[in-house]
Amino acid sequence: MEASARRKIAGGKMLSVRLEHDGAVIVRAEVSGDFFMHPEEAIDIVEEALAGLPLSTASKDISILIDRVLKERGIVAIGFESPDLAGLIREALE
Amino acid sequence: MRWRLLPFTGHRASVNMAVDEAVAEAVGLGNAPPTIRFYAWRPSAVSIGRFQRVQDEVDLEACARMGVDVVRRRTGGGAVYHDSSGEITYSVIAPEPMMGADILASYREVCGWVIAALADLGIASEFAPINDILAGGRKISGCAQTRRQGVFLQHGTVLYDVDSAKMFSVLKVDPVKLSDKALSHPWDRVTSVRSLTGCGAGDLLASLQAAFCRGKECSGSPLTAAESARASELSRARYEDPAWTFSR
């Protein structure tokens, strides 16, 4: 099953998520938009971190996960913050 | 440190992006000095940001019909229509320590060079974070930055003469994106050097070259043979490859 959402982040950039899920967990996530990320290849790490996430995960916990991945891997995202992406994932799933 | 100013050139989209990458590699290896480059896109092209979906941003049928190239940049940011005679693109490629670690501050610094060039032509403009320059509240320049392997690269475009009809027939404008903008029509959001001053494209180029080199030791010299060869290779291997263009 697929789910998607798209939002212009206030004061930031366009952010889209496209999710594939099996009814229980996210199987594949694609994050797109006109944001910036350094290094650019790190988008794969962020997307991979979202795979396996239970669909019931609260926005706050998704945000903590994204934040941890960004910090641990030294990834800088410009144009959105972790709660923005987490909120958009929740929006797509609901 | 002495900067290199490359001669103004016009290339197809894949070559333009490959030259930026080849120069960045050479700068990273210490084989090239920090470099300033101005260039045109021939034929006209759409470049999309590293994280954008082609189908969301570009009317591919319109591009094919009008002979407009499509290329995915290595940098983030948004889709840009590069008219072959309607804009000048710049690149600034330098060792990262020269530009500082603060990303927003370095956007502001390089955009300041564009703002100075526009001021020399009589256009008052201002930096609009993250990556735009506005004149009279309308976009006249946008840019994107990457930092890889110790190398800073910022490329951006300065609008000289906007063909709004063509621009907005090849770019898809998402109504969601306009949701927090004051102006509802996308063509109301852009302006150009020509419409504000009537000056020629040559004047804009000269003004940009002067402003970017101001306060720097800057000398004109071309790409090295190794950079040209690497650019040809990268153009073929990455920027012309549909797997790269349609990677999302």
Side-chain angles (χ1 to χ4, degrees):
Chain A
M1 284 172 279
E2 292 188 354
S4 65
R6 185 169 172 84
R7 187 191 299 167
K8 167 76 174 70
I9 304 302
K13 294 293 183 182
M14 280 297 304
L15 191 60
S16 298
V17 293
R18 298 166 70 85
L19 308 171
E20 284 174 30
H21 64 85
D22 61 5
V25 300
I26 293 171
V27 176
R28 202 182 79 86
E30 183 187 87
V31 182
S32 60
D34 61 357
F35 54 87
F36 297 91
M37 186 172 281
H38 302 284
E40 286 79 7
E41 289 76 12
I43 192 71
D44 295 339
I45 296 170
V46 174
E47 289 174 344
E48 281 160 20
L50 296 169
L53 205 65
L55 302 189
S56 58
T57 311
S59 184
K60 180 171 68 71
D61 294 323
I62 302 174
S63 181
I64 290 168
L65 168 76
I66 296 164
D67 232 14
R68 196 178 66 227
V69 171
L70 297 183
K71 284 197 179 112
E72 280 178 4
R73 307 298 289 262
I75 302 165
V76 179
I78 300 169
F80 73 89
E81 293 183 1
S82 301
D84 299 320
L85 178 53
L88 197 62
I89 290 168
R90 274 280 28 116
E91 185 183 319
L93 293 172
E94 278 160 14
Chain B
M1 189 182 277
R2 182 181 283 271
W3 288 71
R4 170 178 61 167
L5 175 64
L6 289 171
F8 181 83
T9 51
H11 291 295
R12 63 184 194 275
S14 57
V15 173
N16 273 335
M17 292 298 88
V19 168
D20 274 1
E21 186 169 350
V23 171
E25 284 182 2
V27 168
L29 293 168
N31 294 335
T35 297
I36 294 167
R37 175 181 175 227
F38 295 99
Y39 53 104
W41 302 66
R42 294 179 183 142
S44 300
V46 172
S47 75
I48 60 165
R50 171 70 176 79
F51 310 110
Q52 293 187 298
R53 300 185 82 237
V54 185
Q55 297 88 335
D56 288 348
E57 309 298 333
V58 187
D59 185 332
L60 292 169
E61 264 181 37
C63 287
R65 200 169 56 242
M66 290 188 267
V68 171
D69 276 355
V70 178
V71 71
R72 181 180 296 279
R73 301 188 306 268
R74 232 174 24 142
T75 50
V80 181
Y81 170 62
H82 305 276
D83 191 272
S84 60
S85 57
E87 52 115 83
I88 293 174
T89 303
Y90 69 83
S91 301
V92 174
I93 303 163
E96 198 173 4
M98 283 182 73
M99 305 306 296
D102 185 329
I103 289 171
L104 196 60
S106 58
Y107 269 115
R108 188 181 293 278
E109 181 180 355
V110 176
C111 286
W113 305 348
V114 176
I115 289 166
L118 294 173
D120 291 345
L121 295 172
I123 299 171
S125 63
E126 58 182 353
F127 176 55
I130 302 168
N131 57 327
D132 289 337
I133 296 172
L134 307 181
R138 297 178 179 202
K139 184 167 173 172
I140 196 163
S141 177
C143 60
Q145 191 183 117
T146 183
R147 291 150 179 266
R148 307 165 70 85
Q149 282 140 4
V151 179
F152 167 98
L153 184 158
Q154 181 169 318
H155 46 203
T157 180
V158 183
L159 289 168
Y160 165 68
D161 188 14
V162 178
D163 181 344
S164 297
K166 196 167 180 186
M167 178 181 282
F168 294 107
S169 61
V170 295
L171 297 179
K172 291 182 182 173
V173 179
D174 188 334
V176 174
K177 188 172 181 178
L178 298 173
S179 60
D180 73 343
K181 306 280 184 183
L183 297 166
S184 56
H185 295 297
W187 44 90
D188 289 337
R189 296 185 49 237
V190 293
T191 188
S192 69
V193 170
R194 191 175 180 194
S195 69
L196 294 172
T197 66
C199 75
D203 300 326
L204 173 61
L205 176 61
S207 184
L208 286 166
Q209 288 172 330
F212 275 56
C213 288
R214 198 167 292 152
K216 302 180 188 70
E217 212 182 328
C218 210
S219 60
S221 62
L223 289 177
T224 64
E227 286 171 316
S228 294
R230 180 64 178 144
S232 299
E233 190 181 328
L234 285 164
S235 176
R236 276 193 309 275
R238 187 199 306 280
Y239 295 104
E240 290 171 25
D241 183 358
W244 167 256
T245 307
F246 294 93
S247 57
R248 56 183 57 226

